[in-house]
Amino acid sequence: MKKYILISILALFGIRSEAQTTIPKHEVRAVWITTIGGLDWPHSYAKHGSSIEKQQKELCNILDRLKAANVNTVLLQTRVRATVIYPSEYEPWDGCLSGNPGVSPGYDALKFAIDECHRRGMELHAWVVTIPVGKWNSYGCRQLRKWYPSLIKHIGEDGYMDPESDVTADYLANLCGEITRNYDIDGIHLDYIRYPETWKMRVSRERGRKYITDIVRRISAEVKSQKPWVKMSCSPIGKFSDLSRYSSNGWNAYDRVCQDAQGWLRYGYMDQLYPMMYFKGNNFYPFVADWSENNYGKTIVGGLGIYFLSPREGNWTIDEIRRQANVLRQFGAGHAYFRSKFFTDNTKGVYNVIKDESDPYPALIPPMNWISDVKPDPPTALRVTSAEGEGTMLTWTKGVDNSGAGRIYYNVYASRTNPIDINDARNLVAVRIEEPHLTFGTETADGMNFAVTAMDRYGNESSPLLSYINDERKPSVKQGFPRLIRNDGQYLEVPDNSTILDAQYIIIESQFGNIIDSHKYANRIFIGNLPNGIYVIRSLNKKKVTHNLGTFMIKRNDNI
């Protein structure tokens, strides 16, 4: 028996305010899930069957909450402090899972988390803490010191990998390569990829930046050589450098800790940046603009310090986070929340604000068109069935991946208008579906129009397969565009190119199939030379495939 994703169609009929029309269709909405000490997860140890199930259920509950708030990216702490949450040939198990460092919890936590995120249509990025390796006598640090005696530097009570050593770059590249090779991850997210602020610099800042950049370059090269669609990202200090009118007050990425994060975007080593913008006022807003203006066509996701909402941390008001999220959106940036527990615990109502006000419906991850911009072929043979008490079921034939990444996802749109505007985020109802079918609860969707697109692992989306539902007295499905296309007797208004299968030409036919005229595709076609009558309009794409777009009628009053 097929398993269908169940979503309620009631959301499709909800009233959406005009203010929400500015919410973008493409936007990263992320949350950091911290595993060190079980801060966010897990809050119990896995030692046997029932305790494993308890630990896994806790993660599923967190993911359900994130999905309900339309979070689309999970940054899961995977390398903790020279320890990991998966079986590795390089480093031992972290103790957060079993309660004992070096001891397996009895299951692969990273694989489980990936599968559960993908089941909910969310991406999972493996969060890798790079330079710090924990307390000097902690299990992970001791093991690493045993294998590489001269690599680990002792600063205060902690150990750090030497950023000036080639061994550090090789080791971290191999570790990230292992994760990429063995797991179906969507991203590698580097944390603390910088000099420790307590490091006594014996080289120039320029030289220090070259050392850190070389580590980033080698990690990126290893990851991309295996799976170029895996997103490379990091979380730099929230202020890149001093601005002409605003000082970073001595705490910035570029000068203080040698993170040339904007350069990593420019060089192609990073696809996304998650600057840790845990500040207020002029320490936040001018620096948002700086990140946005220097994104080099890549994705900026502002990290919001929602932990400051806690009275113990900073006692910020919820309005501060609301303003910051809005400003990030105005600058075309996504938003990420540090950290998960403060978000899902609804600290000062932050969960409700994001779920109900900021992100009331899903969003797609911005495509990595700087790596690949080849669209997949659209799905075909959309079938919609609806019955009282059984709900509405959509099925379709799989699309074709043209990118070489080997996987296709599907996005579903619904609206009472036809054709559906797939660029309107309000029409997006289900994202990143892995199988070619979807079921909407137990309600029928009479009068609702649907569209399905295929999407590859780079985020490139196909043109839509369009349909609307009918009752049993009419044909069960109809594909295409409105049967009557608007004109004023002189010009014909043609549907947007993105919705008609990459059309290159427009063909006008008589009712009997004779070609009357042809035009290179344009939104307005001159028809003033045609006599009154009824005509058929078709598209022609580069593969010489035609599609019936509908009909139009010319009825002029020649006496005027």
Side-chain angles (χ1 to χ4, degrees), residues 195-460:
Y195 275 85
E197 53 269 35
T198 52
W199 188 278
K200 293 182 179 180
M201 296 285 292
R202 293 182 172 84
V203 298
S204 68
R205 298 291 171 175
E206 181 181 6
R207 187 64 183 168
R209 286 190 287 270
K210 289 181 178 179
Y211 282 128
I212 300 297
T213 294
D214 188 57
I215 298 173
V216 172
R217 177 186 62 79
R218 291 163 79 170
I219 294 173
S220 180
E222 177 62 30
V223 170
K224 296 293 187 179
S225 69
Q226 295 186 37
K227 298 175 181 177
W229 58 86
V230 169
K231 299 174 178 68
M232 284 297 306
S233 71
C234 71
S235 49
I237 300 299
K239 306 170 186 177
F240 179 66
S241 187
D242 288 333
L243 305 179
S244 58
R245 296 181 58 189
Y246 299 95
S247 171
S248 65
N249 300 312
W251 182 239
N252 65 62
Y254 189 75
D255 300 304
R256 185 70 175 85
V257 293
C258 299
Q259 289 180 310
D260 187 12
Q262 292 179 358
W264 301 339
L265 294 178
R266 183 171 69 251
Y267 307 144
Y269 303 154
M270 289 282 168
D271 303 299
Q272 300 177 332
L273 291 183
Y274 292 72
M276 299 179 292
M277 308 198 68
Y278 310 152
F279 312 105
K280 293 195 297 184
N282 287 339
N283 288 311
F284 179 88
Y285 300 104
F287 296 94
V288 170
D290 180 57
W291 288 113
S292 179
E293 291 168 1
N294 294 279
N295 64 17
Y296 297 95
K298 310 298 177 26
T299 303
I300 301 296
V301 188
L304 298 180
I306 62 171
Y307 64 97
F308 278 119
L309 293 169
S310 169
R312 294 183 178 181
E313 299 289 347
N315 204 26
W316 285 10
T317 67
I318 188 59
D319 283 340
E320 182 66 43
I321 297 300
R322 182 186 278 114
R323 283 192 299 269
Q324 291 186 2
N326 288 338
V327 168
L328 284 168
R329 177 168 287 162
Q330 291 170 14
F331 278 97
H335 41 272
Y337 301 102
F338 187 81
R339 46 189 179 80
S340 172
K341 188 176 188 302
F342 295 96
F343 186 68
T344 56
D345 282 357
N346 199 26
T347 305
K348 287 194 177 175
V350 64
Y351 182 88
N352 291 342
V353 166
I354 299 306
K355 177 178 178 293
D356 300 330
E357 298 178 22
S358 178
D359 305 336
Y361 34 84
L364 302 180
I365 308 296
M368 292 192 291
N369 48 29
W370 51 88
I371 299 179
S372 172
D373 61 359
V374 180
K375 294 182 179 180
D377 290 344
T380 58
L382 177 60
R383 178 177 175 81
V384 184
T385 58
S386 184
E388 190 77 27
E390 296 181 7
T392 297
M393 181 184 298
L394 279 65
T395 59
W396 56 88
T397 301
K398 292 185 176 182
V400 178
D401 175 37
N402 295 316
S403 70
R407 176 171 296 178
I408 286 290
Y409 302 104
Y410 303 98
N411 304 314
V412 176
Y413 302 79
S415 174
R416 289 196 178 279
T417 62
N418 188 38
I420 297 173
D421 181 2
I422 68 167
N423 296 311
D424 188 338
R426 294 172 298 176
N427 295 332
L428 189 58
V429 295
V431 301
R432 213 171 189 261
I433 299 171
E434 295 186 319
E435 298 298 330
H437 44 69
L438 180 68
T439 294
F440 292 89
T442 59
E443 307 93 0
T444 61
D446 293 337
M448 183 61 67
N449 307 301
F450 295 95
V452 180
T453 61
M455 185 175 69
D456 65 23
R457 297 210 69 166
Y458 295 98
N460 297 305

